[in-house]
Amino acid sequence: MRIVMLGPPGAGKGTQAKMLAEKLNVPHISTGDIFREAIRKKTDLGLLAKSFMDRGELVPDDVTMGIVKERISEPDCQKGFIFDGFPRTTAQAENLDGMLRNLGISLDLIVDIQVRDEEIVSRLENRRSCPACGMVYHLINNPPVESGLCDSCGELLVGRVDDTRQVILNRLKVYEEKTEPLKAYYSGKVETAQFDGAQEIGKVLEQIMEYLGRYQGKSEVL
Ligand code: ADP
Ligand code: ADP
Ligand code: ZN
C-alpha cells in the first residue's frame, strides 16, 4: 500500500500516519522527521534544512527529493510506504511520479485530512513531541501518561521551534500557496479520500481504516 498523507500543518498527518504504518506494516516516511533528525545530528543537511524550517519556509525541492530518493530505495519500502509531509509542491509530486514510474510502481491513495485554521494554531501551540522516537502528543487532547515524558521511551518531551504563532501562520500561508494545489494535481490521477480531522484521533483512524477495508483481499496492495 502506497499512501500520501495530505493536509495542513497540524491536521494530524503524523499522528495518523504513525498508527496506520503500524497497522499496515509499512514504513512511515516523514520528511520533517528526517530533517529534524539531521538537525539533531548537526549534519550539513540539518544545517541547511534548519535555516528554512525555523522560518516556516519549505526546504528546496532538490534537497528534499534527494533524501526521498534515498529513502524509498531502502528494502523496507518494497512492501509500500506512507508519506507524511511529502510531496509538498507540484514539482516534488512530478518528480515523485517519475521516480515511481522508474520503479514500476504508483501511488494507491491520497489521505486528505481537513481541519480549520483556528484549530490548527491551537493544536500546534499545544503540540509536544518526543525527540527520540517521534511520538506526538497534545497537552490537552492527547497528553502523555506522565506529564512531560514520552509514554513509549521515557524521553523528555519538547515543543517544536517552528510551533510558534508567527511561524505557524507562515506555514499555513505556504501550505495554501504551494501544497494545496496538489489536490488538483492528483485529481483524476490518484484516488483521494477526505477525512474530517476535527474529530477525535481514534475516530479519524477508524474512518481511514474503514476506507482501507476496500483493499482487503488484494494481497498485492495491503
Ligand atoms: P501534522 O503531522 O499534520 O502536522 P500532528 O499529527 O503532529 O499533525 O498533530 C498536531 C497536533 O494535534 C499534535 O499535538 C497532536 O497530538 C494533535 N492532534 C492530532 N490529531 C488530533 C485530533 N484528531 N484531535 C485533536 N488533536 C489532534
Ligand atoms: P507539519 O506537519 O507540522 O507541517 P513537518 O514536520 O511535516 O511539519 O515539516 C516541518 C518543516 O520541515 C516544514 O515547515 C518545512 O520547512 C520542512 N519540510 C518537511 N517536509 C518538506 C517537504 N516535503 N518539502 C520541503 N520542506 C519540507
Ligand atoms: Zn519517545
Side-chain angles (χ1 to χ4, degrees), residues 5 13-14 17 28-39 45-46 49 53 58-61 63-69 71-72 82-89 92 96 160:
M5 308 296 292
K13 301 181 298 295
H28 164 211
I29 303 177
S30 157
T31 39
D33 283 352
I34 295 174
F35 292 140
R36 278 183 291 277
E37 179 66 14
I39 291 173
L45 169 69
M53 291 168 80
L58 295 182
V59 174
D61 286 339
V63 177
T64 304
M65 290 318 302
I67 61 156
V68 170
K69 190 165 187 199
R71 185 64 187 88
I72 61 168
I82 300 180
F83 280 137
D84 159 18
F86 172 87
R88 249 181 163 95
T89 63
Q92 289 181 12
L96 174 66
R160 276 173 40 179

Side-chain angles (χ1 to χ4, degrees), residues 18 129-137 149-157:
K18 233 175 193 311
S129 43
C130 174
C133 75
M135 276 292 286
V136 176
Y137 302 86
L149 299 179
C150 178
D151 288 350
S152 60
C153 70
E155 186 80 19
L156 209 59
L157 300 177

Side-chain angles (χ1 to χ4, degrees), residues 99-116:
M99 221 181 262
L100 296 179
R101 215 176 301 122
N102 286 339
L103 293 167
I105 54 181
S106 56
L107 295 172
D108 296 304
L109 183 68
I110 312 289
V111 170
D112 176 14
I113 307 182
Q114 305 177 327
V115 177
R116 286 179 307 119

